[in-house]
Structures are given as C-alpha cells and as structure tokens.
C-alpha cells in the first residue's frame, strides 16, 4: 500500500513536471495529495528530477525520478490539479484517483485537430502583426510545416534545439521561396507568425513564476532553456536568411 | 482605429489564443475562456499602446490577462496558469527577436543589441504583469 501511494504521487508529480507546470506547483500538489491520503510527503523537485519521501508511522519510502523531457500540456496540469482537489475534499477515492490519472495520458485533441489549430493560430498571429491576404495563408502553411517538423522529429527522440533550428530553417526557406513567387509579401511578418508555435512562451512564463515563488534554481534553469530554444530558432532562420541574401 | 479594426484585432487574438490552447491540450470546456482572456489582453494593449508605448502597454495587457485568468480560474476551478499561458501569446515579442537577428546578420550590432534589450524589456513586462497580479491573489492573512 505504501509503495502504491508513493508511486501514485510520483506519477502525478512527473505528469505535472513533464507538462510544463511550475516546480512549486508540483511540490505543493504532491504534498497535498499525500496529506489527503494520510501520508507525510516531502518532495524536492527541480526541472530535471523529482526526489520524493513518503513517511507513514515511522517507515520511509524514498523514490527518485529523472525527468528528461518537457512539453506543454495544460490539460494535464488542470487534470492533476482536479484529482488533487478531489482527494483533498474526499470526493475521490484512491482507486478512482489512480484510474483518473491514467485517463490523463490520452491526448485531448487528435493530430488533425491540432494541425488545424496550428494553421488558425499562425494565420491570426500574422494578421495581428499587420499581415493580410496571401501573407496569412502562407503563415498558416508555415506554421503547419514548423509544427509537423517538430512532431516528426519528436518520434526520433530529437532534442528540442535540433528540431527548433531545423524547423525554423525549413520554414524560412519556404517563406523566401514564396516571396519569389509573390514579391509583395513581407518575409518577417509571415515568418514570425509561422514560427510562433515553436517559441518557448510557456517555459518562459513558468520560469518567472518559479522565480517569484522563490524557486531560484528551477526558475533560472528554465529561463536558460527558453533562451536557448529561442536562440536555436533565430539561428535556423539566420542561416536561411544568409543563404537567400 | 475604427471599431471594425478593433473587432478584427479582437477576433484574431481570440483565434490565436484559442489555437494555442488546442496545441497545449487545454480541455475543450476551458477553450473559450482561454481565448477570451487572450483577446481581452490584446484589446487592452491596442488601447494603451498609442498613449504609453509598447513596454507599458505590454505590462498592462499582461496584468489584464492575469487578472481575468485569476478570476476565471476560481470560477472554473482550474490553475490560473492554464489560462494565462495561452492568454499572453499575442503579446510575445517575436517580431523583435526576428529584427535583432536580422540586424546582427547584417553586421549592424548597435541596432541588434537595441532590439535585444527591447525584447528583454517586453518579455520582462509580460512576466512582471503576470507576477504582480498573481502575487496579489496569493496574499493570505497570517
């Protein structure tokens, strides 16, 4: 039973962290879940790993979990939060909570829906930046390419710096090609809209929230990650820009 | 800016935040609210930017995003960050990053550094806007 509880809490914490939640949220949620189940939980979380000790009547269980990838999954953060809330209020039993946690692994949207969302988002961002007509259409297609490259490379375990710079390079080349055919389009407007799907905005926001909460170690390491990805994006389009000059 | 322009910008920001919410796997029942938060923030930006410039406008827009997200998150019983994250998407200074990259590539380091500084200031303004409002909501009586 103790081991079951420790595993459950660890999986919940891991889900939060791999979904891009703030470190303080992961720690708080794990401790709250443990308290709701009648266990004393001490958690030490960094963006790259979780250290968890569950104690019960003088017995201790400690588990370490390395975290090697981080994505952005707000649905899972909300889901784990709801489970923790349910456990605290007593509306969920341990077995129900375990089943619900497994349900969260199912993605909320199909790949097709996400591809449409990418096109809508990239097109609208280009409109916001002052784009119109063809620029919006090309940005929507660029967003589609950028997202697909990331999606495919993820299957091959590529790290986010490789996929960001490669996607950015490909998209920039496509936009320059489009400009040859349609000389009136503005390359920056289209490119920025199309690449926004790869910009690490969530990582940046979490970094700041962690720093404000006093989690300086996690905050700075996440901020560095965000800046490095932004740098990879800039490098990818810089190479393309240099080639087409 | 005419009413038509404003409503177009509002719609575009709504769609941008909504699209990103789907990419971030936000559940369908929160989708509308996340999009609304993003659109309201961008609307605030549009109104303030002619008066006070882009840094102050970004700060206020992020504060609006955070305020709405904190209020809605209490009604919807979900973490506020699930609404702020899609909400700040229209404010992200992507164009400045591009321009600084372009300047550096052309050997124009002074203008490049200028854009980098502006990028950092604008992202700082987003972060500060969220942090200030978020911390206010977390005040507890001891």
């Amino acid at each position: 039973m103790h081991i079951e509880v420790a595993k459950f809490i660890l999986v919940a914490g891991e889900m939060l962290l791999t979904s891009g939640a703030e470190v303080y949220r992961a720690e708080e949620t794990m401790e709250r879940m443990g308290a709701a189940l009648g266990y004393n939980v001490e958690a030490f979380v960094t963006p790259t790993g979780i250290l968890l000790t569950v104690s019960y009547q003088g017995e201790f269980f400690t588990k370490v979990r390395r975290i090697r990838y981080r994505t952005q999954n707000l649905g899972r953060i909300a889901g784990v939060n709801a489970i923790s809330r349910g456990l605290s209020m007593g509306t969920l039993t341990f077995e129900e909570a375990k089943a619900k946690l497994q349900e969260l692994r199912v993605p909320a949207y199909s790949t097709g829906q996400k591809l449409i969302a990418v096109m809508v988002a990239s097109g609208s961002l280009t409109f916001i930046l002052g784009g119109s007509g063809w620029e919006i259409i090309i940005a929507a297609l660029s967003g589609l390419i950028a997202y697909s490259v990331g999606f495919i490379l993820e299957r091959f375990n590529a790290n986010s710096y490789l996929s960001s710079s490669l996607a950015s390079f490909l998209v920039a080349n496509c936009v320059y090609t489009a400009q040859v055919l349609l000389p009136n389009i503005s390359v920056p407007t289209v490119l920025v809209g199309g690449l926004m799907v790869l910009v690490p905005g969530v990582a940046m926001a979490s970094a700041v929230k962690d720093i404000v909460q006093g989690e300086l170690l996690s905050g700075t390491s996440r901020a560095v990650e965000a800046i490095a990805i932004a740098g990879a994006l800039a490098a990818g389009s810089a190479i393309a820009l240099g080639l087409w000059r | 800016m005419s009413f038509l322009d404003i409503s177009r910008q509002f719609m575009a920001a709504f769609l941008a935040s909504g699209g990103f919410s789907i990419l971030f796997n936000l559940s369908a029942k929160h989708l509308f609210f996340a999009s609304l938060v993003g659109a309201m923030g961008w609307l605030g930006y549009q109104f303030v930017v002619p008066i006070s410039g882009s840094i102050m406008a970004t700060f206020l827009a992020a504060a609006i995003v955070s305020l709405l997200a904190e209020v809605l998150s209490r009604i919807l019983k979900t973490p506020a960050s699930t609404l702020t994250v899609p909400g700040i998407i229209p404010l992200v200074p992507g164009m400045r990053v591009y321009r600084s990259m372009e300047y550096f590539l052309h050997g124009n380091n002074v203008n490049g550094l200028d854009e980098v500084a502006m990028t950092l200031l604008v992202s700082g303004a987003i972060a500060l806007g969220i942090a200030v409002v978020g911390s206010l909501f977390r005040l507890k009586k001891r």
Side-chain angles (χ1 to χ4, degrees):
Chain A
M1 183 63 192
H2 310 321
I3 295 175
E4 284 288 290
V5 169
K7 266 187 192 160
F8 167 77
I9 293 173
L10 196 65
V11 169
E14 186 188 4
M15 265 194 184
L16 283 176
L17 213 52
T18 53
S19 306
E22 308 90 329
V23 160
Y24 77 88
R25 184 184 302 286
E27 283 183 358
E28 255 180 41
T29 308
M30 288 162 85
E31 279 161 18
R32 235 179 255 156
M33 279 178 159
L37 295 166
Y39 291 78
N40 194 5
V41 169
E42 193 82 32
F44 176 69
V45 178
T46 74
T48 51
I50 300 175
L51 250 168
L52 170 78
T53 295
V54 174
S55 59
Y56 183 70
Q57 292 178 348
E59 286 179 83
F60 292 95
F61 292 91
T62 297
K63 262 175 122 35
V64 178
R65 178 65 53 94
R66 277 286 278 129
I67 305 292
R68 291 179 203 280
Y69 72 98
R70 284 166 293 279
T71 54
Q72 295 157 354
N73 194 328
L74 300 174
R76 263 188 208 167
I77 299 177
V80 176
N81 191 67
I83 292 171
S84 154
R85 197 186 289 267
L87 279 174
S88 297
M89 303 214 311
T91 50
L92 276 181
T93 65
F94 178 56
E95 293 302 322
E96 283 169 349
K98 247 169 60 178
K100 282 214 161 184
L101 200 62
Q102 287 310 313
E103 278 170 29
L104 289 180
R105 290 191 191 278
V106 183
Y109 301 96
S110 68
T111 309
Q113 283 169 322
K114 284 196 173 171
L115 293 180
I116 293 169
V118 170
M119 293 177 72
V120 171
S122 309
S124 334
L125 280 169
T126 294
F127 179 79
I128 281 178
L129 294 169
S132 56
W134 276 106
E135 290 171 337
I136 294 176
I137 297 169
I138 296 167
L141 294 174
S142 308
L144 196 66
I145 296 168
Y147 185 77
S148 313
V149 170
F151 187 79
I152 293 165
L153 283 179
E154 202 177 89
R155 294 266 159 103
F156 293 99
N157 263 331
N159 68 38
S160 42
Y161 308 108
L162 177 67
S163 55
S164 297
S165 45
L166 195 63
S168 162
F169 176 73
L170 282 176
V171 167
N173 277 311
C174 292
V175 175
Y176 279 110
T177 314
Q179 201 198 22
V180 172
L181 304 171
L182 301 156
N184 288 333
I185 65 169
S186 141
V187 171
T189 316
V190 176
L191 196 54
V192 172
L195 286 178
M196 203 64 107
V197 288
L198 300 173
V199 170
V202 186
M204 207 64 221
S206 295
V208 173
K209 282 196 165 173
D210 271 336
I211 291 174
V212 170
Q213 289 285 327
E215 301 283 349
L216 300 178
L217 184 70
S218 312
T220 39
S221 59
R222 246 200 251 267
V224 169
E225 186 187 26
I227 290 170
I229 292 178
L233 280 177
S237 19
I239 295 169
L241 210 136
L243 287 177
W244 281 83
R245 211 148 44 117
Chain B
M1 244 186 173
S2 71
F3 178 73
L4 186 67
D5 282 339
I6 293 278
S7 44
R8 271 189 191 153
Q9 291 285 326
F10 185 85
M11 270 316 291
F14 189 91
L15 290 175
S17 293
F20 271 86
S21 305
I22 292 177
L23 292 182
F24 296 156
N25 256 313
L26 189 70
S27 68
K29 60 184 173 188
H30 298 153
L31 203 56
F32 173 77
F33 298 100
S35 315
L36 188 69
V37 167
M40 292 300 287
W42 184 243
L43 199 64
Y45 179 87
Q46 291 290 312
F47 279 119
V48 182
V49 79
I51 309 165
S52 67
S54 63
I55 296 173
M56 194 60 201
T58 308
F59 172 76
L60 285 175
I64 294 171
V65 166
S66 185
L67 183 70
L68 284 174
E70 293 285 348
V71 172
L72 284 172
S73 72
R74 276 157 182 74
I75 300 168
L76 299 168
K77 295 203 172 19
T78 179
S81 60
T82 56
L83 300 177
T84 43
V85 165
I88 57 168
I89 292 292
L91 304 172
V92 173
M95 190 54 111
R96 291 189 189 281
V97 177
Y98 178 85
R99 273 201 299 242
S100 64
M101 187 268 296
E102 204 175 34
Y103 280 133
F104 280 127
L105 205 66
H106 291 143
N108 193 342
N109 292 353
V110 176
N111 285 346
L113 283 176
D114 188 49
E115 286 291 340
V116 169
M118 279 302 283
T119 309
L120 290 177
L121 284 172
V122 170
S123 5
I126 297 178
L128 204 66
I130 293 172
V132 166
V133 177
S135 311
L136 283 179
F137 272 83
R138 253 155 221 93
L139 291 180
K140 271 184 221 146
K141 211 177 160 199
R142 208 184 269 232

